[in-house]
Each structure stands twice: as structure tokens, then as C-alpha cells.
Amino acid sequence: EAKMAALATGGATPSDGATSFQRKVPASSRLAAIAGTRPSVRHGQLLLSSGLPSLDCVLGGGLAVGTLLLIEEDKYGIYSNLLFKYFLAEGIVCGHNLFVASAKEDPADILKELPAPLFDDGHKNQVDEKETAIKFKQESQESMKIAWRYQNLPKVEVSPAASARFGHYYDVSKTVSPELLQSIKWHRFFLPEEMSLHPEIKTCNMTYGYTRLLQSIQRIIYQEGFDGSYPQKKQKNILRIGIQSLGSVLWGDDVCCADNPEDIHSLTKFLYVLRGLLRMSLSACIITVPAHLIQNKAIMERVTNLSDTVVGLESFIGSERETNPLYKDYQGLIHVHQIPRLNSLICDVSGTKDLAFRLKRKLFTIEVAESLRTEFLSLHQGNIYLKRKSDCICLQTCQTQ
């Protein structure tokens, strides 16, 4: 933790709008900032964008370097795959190194299908039109000013769209240009290729795919200088690791096929070792897992505990909610199961529950669904309340001890 904190704080630089109250740091002790990152104002850790500004807001400003983001796939894997591509596309725009691992799709094909970045500001009107109107109304009603000298100071983390250096928007109707792909350095791990090139081995009670994947990630971290013990020779950079559909049968794991799989601890051991590699390096990882196929819920609970941030996607495709008027503006719900409370032994849980996502013609956004907000009706001296949940309204009674 101490080594990772030193790496994170080393990337922080004073902003252009620093006030006189900010402590002055000698120029000799300042380190060069890493592209596509910024320090968190809450806990001082170095953050990078998930590729989706609205998701960054939900997660407290972004993903901390050295952490693991676990995405529980939706039923058909459509929207989880989209978040996976957003994460990689953000790395390309920021010039980060990429490590793409998959057992079903060639990593080169995954990169060719990444969404194209939007560098102009025209798209912001479509995304933040309602939010801007609300903020303008609130600011116009403020009658008290602290002091005239603070009026023109820049606001801190008002919105991811306010900064062009952190978080970008992408056009899902277009793919990234080949010129942009050639400008970055990336590494691949395609399990069928690995199985044909190397003899099958099994160590530490892990499947062959997990063992080979850990070896490849460790080799890249050490050889490319992302390990904190061996500083990078050139300018510091971030390694973005993307692992697709981990735990599926294509990886040689049977957690999705049986209640008592043969290698019941294979997946959890992999995550335990991977998390240790992330903590000691300038890297961040996103993993998609078919959680709806894992029959043993105890395994899924251990997988959640071994992750830092856990987000689940629930698609409306093929369900009754697809035709329900409450959900007409959205394509599914997003559940934030776990948010890391860094430098602590416990994890925080997001207080925002009514989150939904929508896929427009070009943009994918996460919003607070106004129609899904929970309503309570308190009765005097009666522990009875009216609760709106999903597509029904039910009357419940609270039992007091």
C-alpha cells in the first residue's frame, strides 16, 4: 500500500487554478504528470478514467491506479462488452499501454471495433443539456458571494465534461481510426494461440489459461517498467489491462457448469495474484465475468471480495421490463455493488441505487432514473410505508425489535 501510494501521489501536479492557500511544493520534488490521470481530491490516489464520464462520476471520480474493476456481464453480453471497449478506447486516446486478453475473440479484432473518440464539444449539448439547465437555475438563485476574488477560480470536479484532459466521449456508431491504433503500444493474449504454442501445464491448482495469463501480465509489468521497483526509463505511463469473459468455459474453468466445480478455487486464486500485481504497478484492470452463469453463489461472493470495484449490468432485452412504461427511456439498470474505500480495510457501498443506462444513436450514458426513485409514505406511529420498486408498488410493514 505504501509503495502504491507513493506511485499515485507522484503523478499529482498543482493545477493552473491553485489558490494562495495551497501548500507550495519545491520544483525539485515535483514529478511529471502521467497523461490521462489526475489525483483524487478525496483520498489523494491517482485516478484514470473508465472511458465513460458518467461512470466516473458514480465511482467517485474515476478508477484508482492499481485497482481492479469487475463488470458483471448482462445476459447477452452486449453492454458489458461496450464498457470493456470504452475502457480500452480511453487508453488509446490517452496514450496508455494496453494488454488485451480474451479466450473467444482475437484481441486485434477487439481493438478494431473500439468506438471512435469525439474530440469536439458538440456532443456535450446532447449529454448534459438537462444537467446544465438545472445547474444554471441553481446558480442563478444563489444570492450570497463569499468574496469577489474567488468568483473566477476554477471549480473542482464539477463534471467530467469540464476537463478535456480527463475522460472523453465516444461515438459508438464509428470505429477508431487505424492511424490512432498504430500510435499506441499494446500486448495481446489469445488463449487458443497460447495453447497451440505452449504445452499445457497446471500449477497452483489453477487452470492452464489462468496460469499462462498471469505469467504474461507479470512479464509485461516487469519488462516494460510498470513495476514500482524498477522505474520506467522514459516518461511514466499506465498499463491498462482488459480481460474478457473471465470464468467462462472457454478459459477452461467449470464454475459456470457445476455447483461444485473441479477447480473451485482456481478463479479466486487468479484474482488474488492479479490484485497483488496491480497493487505494485502503475496499472489498472477491467474484467468482465458472466456472473449470471456462475451457479455457486459462494464463488461469486469471493470473486466480489477479491475485486476493488464491482458493477453489475441488467439488460431489459427479453424481459418484461422491456415493454414497461417505467423503463421506456432506458435499455437496462446498472448496479454498483462495491466501491473501494482506499487505505482502509472495508469497502464502501454506493448510496445511489436508481441508476439506469441508455444507448442513444452515438452515446452510451449512465443516468439517475427519475421514474425509478423510491417513494416512502410514513404513517404516524405506524411502521408502514409505501415503496416503489421495479415495476410494482407494494405496501410493506417494518418489524421493530
Side-chain angles (χ1 to χ4, degrees):
E1 292 291 341
K3 184 184 296 184
M4 199 60 233
L7 287 172
T9 55
T13 56
S15 60
D16 296 335
T19 66
S20 58
F21 298 102
Q22 186 174 3
R23 185 179 63 179
K24 294 183 179 180
V25 181
S28 59
S29 63
R30 299 175 186 174
L31 299 178
I34 303 178
T37 63
R38 67 179 178 188
S40 171
V41 297
R42 297 177 177 88
H43 46 68
Q45 295 288 334
L46 193 64
L47 301 179
L48 52 84
S49 175
S50 64
L52 192 62
S54 54
L55 181 59
D56 292 338
C57 287
V58 174
L59 301 181
L63 300 176
V65 174
T67 60
L68 169 63
L69 169 62
L70 183 73
I71 303 293
E72 296 181 359
E73 297 179 0
D74 52 290
K75 186 176 181 180
Y76 298 100
I78 299 176
Y79 302 104
S80 57
N81 192 34
L82 191 57
L83 290 182
F84 184 80
K85 293 180 179 179
Y86 269 107
F87 179 82
L88 298 177
E90 181 69 17
I92 292 179
V93 174
C94 298
H96 297 163
N97 289 21
L98 301 182
F99 181 92
V100 186
S102 177
K104 66 176 181 179
E105 190 174 359
D106 194 312
D109 296 334
I110 296 177
L111 293 184
K112 292 179 181 178
E113 297 176 355
L114 296 183
L118 290 170
F119 293 108
D120 61 323
D121 295 335
H123 62 281
K124 293 181 182 179
N125 296 329
Q126 301 176 2
V127 179
D128 300 326
E129 182 177 355
K130 293 182 179 180
E131 182 179 355
T132 304
I134 295 175
K135 288 183 178 180
F136 178 79
K137 183 177 180 180
Q138 292 176 351
E139 292 177 358
S140 62
Q141 294 176 352
E142 294 180 358
S143 59
M144 183 179 66
K145 300 289 184 180
I146 299 177
W148 63 269
R149 62 174 295 184
Y150 299 115
Q151 291 182 3
N152 297 325
L153 287 179
K155 296 181 180 180
V156 180
E157 291 189 355
V158 293
S159 172
S163 175
R165 297 173 297 178
F166 188 91
H168 299 82
Y169 289 95
Y170 298 88
D171 187 351
V172 295
S173 63
K174 299 179 181 179
T175 57
V176 64
S177 64
E179 294 78 13
L180 195 57
L181 283 176
Q182 296 176 359
S183 64
I184 58 102
K185 185 175 182 180
W186 68 284
H187 309 272
R188 55 181 288 146
F189 183 92
F190 190 37
L191 185 58
E193 289 181 354
E194 296 293 329
M195 295 181 65
S196 62
L197 296 176
H198 303 280
E200 185 170 348
I201 57 176
K202 182 177 179 182
T203 59
C204 300
N205 295 326
M206 281 195 297
T207 63
Y208 168 78
Y210 296 163
T211 303
R212 290 294 306 165
L213 181 56
L214 282 175
Q215 292 175 352
S216 299
I217 295 175
Q218 185 178 25
R219 183 180 68 255
I220 297 301
I221 289 177
Y222 290 163
Q223 292 181 356
E224 299 295 332
F226 296 104
D227 180 22
S229 301
Y230 302 94
Q232 300 177 12
K233 297 179 181 180
K234 299 180 181 180
Q235 185 177 1
K236 289 188 176 182
N237 202 353
I238 298 293
L239 176 64
R240 287 178 177 251
I241 303 173
I243 305 175
Q244 189 181 53
S245 295
L246 191 71
S248 65
V249 293
L250 296 177
W251 284 98
D253 202 343
D254 57 348
V255 292
C256 296
C257 304
D259 291 334
N260 297 315
E262 180 181 355
D263 299 323
I264 191 171
H265 299 296
S266 183
L267 180 58
T268 53
K269 285 185 177 181
F270 170 83
L271 293 175
Y272 182 81
V273 178
L274 175 63
R275 199 175 182 184
L277 292 174
L278 295 176
R279 286 292 192 270
M280 60 183 296
S281 62
L282 288 171
S283 59
C285 181
I286 182 174
I287 296 178
T288 64
V289 174
H292 61 285
L293 297 179
I294 298 180
Q295 302 179 21
N296 193 329
K297 299 306 177 183
I299 296 179
M300 196 59 214
E301 290 180 1
R302 289 195 291 266
V303 169
T304 300
N305 294 333
L306 287 171
S307 305
D308 296 299
T309 306
V310 181
V311 176
L313 297 179
E314 179 185 352
S315 174
F316 294 157
I317 299 178
S319 65
E320 298 179 355
R321 296 180 178 181
E322 188 176 9
T323 57
N324 193 305
L326 284 176
Y327 307 98
K328 62 180 180 179
D329 297 329
Y330 307 100
Q331 278 74 45
L333 300 177
I334 181 168
H335 307 285
V336 182
H337 300 303
Q338 183 171 284
I339 296 178
R341 182 174 295 175
L342 301 176
N343 301 324
S344 177
L345 296 177
I346 59 176
C347 295
D348 193 10
V349 179
S350 175
T352 306
K353 302 296 183 182
D354 304 317
L355 292 174
F357 59 85
R358 68 171 68 187
L359 180 61
K360 299 181 181 179
R361 186 170 61 91
K362 294 183 178 182
L363 300 175
F364 180 86
T365 58
I366 297 175
E367 304 173 1
V368 177
E370 296 294 337
S371 59
L372 307 180
R373 287 185 179 274
T374 305
E375 298 178 358
F376 294 94
L377 178 63
S378 300
L379 301 180
H380 181 64
Q381 292 182 349
N383 298 320
I384 302 177
Y385 60 90
L386 187 66
K387 182 178 182 181
R388 181 185 300 273
K389 183 178 181 181
S390 300
D391 51 356
C392 63
I393 299 178
C394 55
L395 192 64
Q396 298 185 359
T397 302
C398 296
Q399 296 181 358
T400 58
Q401 299 293 335

